[in-house]
Amino acid sequence: MLPTPLSERMLSRGLLDVLIRAGLIAVLAMFCFRIFYPFFDLVLWSLILAVTIYPMQVRLRGRMGNRDGRAATVIVLISLAVIIVPAYLLGVALLESAEQAINAVRGGDMRIPQPPDFVASWPLIGQRLHDLWMQAATDLTSLIQKYLPQLSGMSMALLGKLAGLGVAMLIFVFALIIAGVIMAYGEEGHRSSVQIASRVFGVDRGPRIADLCTATIRAVAQGVVGIAFIQMMLIGVGFIVKGVPGAGVLALVVLLLGIMQLPATLVTVPVIAYVFYTEGASVATVAFGVYVFVAGLADNVLKPLMLGRGVDVPMPVVLIGALGGMVTGGVIGLFIGPVMLAVGYRLFWLWVEEPPLTSEPADAPRA
């Protein structure tokens, strides 16, 4: 039966109404996103912190008369006191390291040893690297003048990264405060997340997906990023107290190694050897060596405590998330990137492993 002109007009008008509504919704969504975008990293970081710390909130709440607000306030204050002081010391050390390097280059006080002869025998780059190293050891001033434009660009990039560290620390403080507010309304937030997931993925899969996202965020944030951050703090404070040159930069390298799941001893052992070589064996150097070496192995103790059986996410996913997050979002992206990429990875495999819907063929014989 062919549609009548009246039904065609009604169909076209209904389609036009749907398109207009979809367009208005799209415009509203874009407008809301533009307003929310400046606070996107802050809110996302706050949610990650709130989900990660919330089990502590639950344990502490029972001891404080089931006062969620009071428990969240105590956790935030303790976290700020524990984190801000070491982070401030590391930031100051990083700025001092950069300033000392710049002053050494400007004053001509930097001394570079001559390269070993075997460097020239390396394939492809050996001779060129040997010549460049020899020029740096004999005539550093002319070498700096030769590459001054490149060095200027690198210096500006380094200053930008250092400024980004300060901004990231400020964002972290605000994110921790907002996370405390979120934790104070944790039960309502969990119900809301389940409702949203049920609306998007269906009533059957919604609660399971919400629980999966929560478990993945806690596993990666605690077992990878959190452990790397704690280890950086422990080792960095030891470097600062001992006065190791470039303590702030070395601490950041320890953080990157921890996120990449590489041992911190790649940094701690050479630093210990340098301290013993320059200062000799004494009570202070032995105590420093023991402390830093044990702190470099702290992840072996922290992982079973904070991670349990392990993160059900391959380490390349965490590494790509950390590096990609750092490139796109700076220091904050270094923490947010692996968490969000791990959540996306787990949701993707949940979709892949979901059994396909089976339906009875249309031409199946009837009983």
Side-chain angles (χ1 to χ4, degrees), residues 318-330 333-334 337:
V318 178
L319 174 59
I320 293 173
L323 297 179
M326 185 173 60
V327 171
T328 57
L334 179 65

Side-chain angles (χ1 to χ4, degrees), residues 91-168:
V92 171
L94 188 61
L95 292 174
E96 290 179 353
S97 301
E99 185 178 359
Q100 290 174 1
I102 295 173
N103 293 335
V105 172
R106 289 179 178 176
D109 298 331
M110 183 175 291
R111 296 289 181 266
I112 299 177
Q114 294 186 0
D117 294 334
F118 65 84
V119 175
S121 62
W122 291 354
L124 299 178
I125 63 171
Q127 187 61 46
R128 185 175 181 181
L129 178 60
H130 183 276
D131 295 340
L132 185 64
W133 192 343
M134 181 63 72
Q135 184 179 1
T138 56
D139 192 5
L140 182 60
T141 304
S142 61
L143 182 65
I144 293 175
Q145 292 177 352
K146 179 180 178 181
Y147 293 99
L148 186 61
Q150 292 87 344
L151 292 175
S152 299
M154 292 176 59
S155 300
M156 294 302 296
L158 178 60
L159 291 176
K161 294 297 182 182
L162 293 177
L165 286 175
V167 175

